[in-house]
Amino acid sequence: MSVQLLANIVVGLALVGFLAYRQATWQYLDPARVWRTPLVLGVVGIVVLAQSAAAVTTLDVLFLGIEALVSVAAGLAMGGMTRFRTAAVADDKGRTLQARTGWAGAGLWLLLIVVRVGLDVLGGHLGAHLLTSTGAILLVLALNRAARALVVDQRIPRAARGMMVR
């Protein structure tokens, strides 16, 4: 095992742990940020994919489609399980509405990552190499966050919309 591979594994596990923690804990809700993250990830993912010299095969499209469906389904589920509460104390931006998906949301993140790695390994063995590109990874994450944002945006308690940001 190379040092680079070991470093990638450690960074990946730290990122998974951080994302799981964020899903499980209450976070102040910023409606603009809910949509900003998937937009930025999507644009960067498309730019990176457009700059790659890899040839796109039918197998690449098939596996990317499967990953997209799994990612969107997980995002919709995460949005549906998001819970809201009003904090007793506003944050430094004056927001009082908080949201979290809980440990079930963290579990969905882990499941999404396991499915994605499994599809990447299978696709790689079958000749679909575009899956492991940074652009494809960013697009899958963007789809997940956009699906979650779509549901969360519709579920934000109407009475709290005006009180979230001053």
Side-chain angles (χ1 to χ4, degrees):
M1 183 179 295
S2 72
V3 173
Q4 181 64 37
L5 179 60
L6 186 59
N8 286 346
I9 291 171
V10 169
V11 169
L13 289 174
L15 183 59
V16 168
F18 173 73
L19 291 173
Y21 170 78
R22 295 270 308 188
Q23 294 291 317
T25 58
W26 290 103
Q27 304 292 321
Y28 285 95
L29 185 62
D30 183 349
R33 188 172 172 209
V34 168
W35 284 106
R36 190 176 336 148
T37 300
L39 181 63
V40 169
L41 288 173
V43 168
V44 172
I46 289 170
V47 168
V48 170
L49 271 180
Q51 293 176 347
S52 75
V56 179
T57 66
T58 305
L59 203 54
D60 286 318
V61 173
L62 175 67
F63 274 92
L64 283 172
I66 293 169
E67 285 189 3
L69 287 173
V70 170
S71 183
V72 168
L76 293 173
M78 287 176 186
M81 64 179 53
T82 299
R83 299 293 170 247
F84 302 96
R85 78 174 185 186
T86 302
V89 178
D91 70 351
D92 59 343
K93 295 179 183 175
R95 299 174 297 191
T96 57
L97 188 65
Q98 294 181 326
R100 74 172 181 179
T101 59
W103 288 107
L108 274 176
W109 261 115
L110 294 174
L111 179 64
L112 178 63
I113 291 167
V114 167
V115 168
R116 185 173 199 312
V117 169
L119 286 172
D120 286 356
V121 169
L122 178 62
H125 286 322
L126 296 175
H129 299 290
L130 190 62
L131 299 171
T132 58
S133 74
T134 302
I137 293 167
L138 291 174
L139 282 177
V140 167
L141 290 174
L143 286 171
N144 175 270
R145 298 287 79 194
R148 178 189 172 272
L150 180 67
V151 176
V152 166
D153 192 42
Q154 297 301 312
R155 294 187 58 234
I156 292 173
R158 301 293 174 222
R161 279 192 185 273
M163 298 186 296
M164 286 186 289
V165 181
R166 284 186 208 174

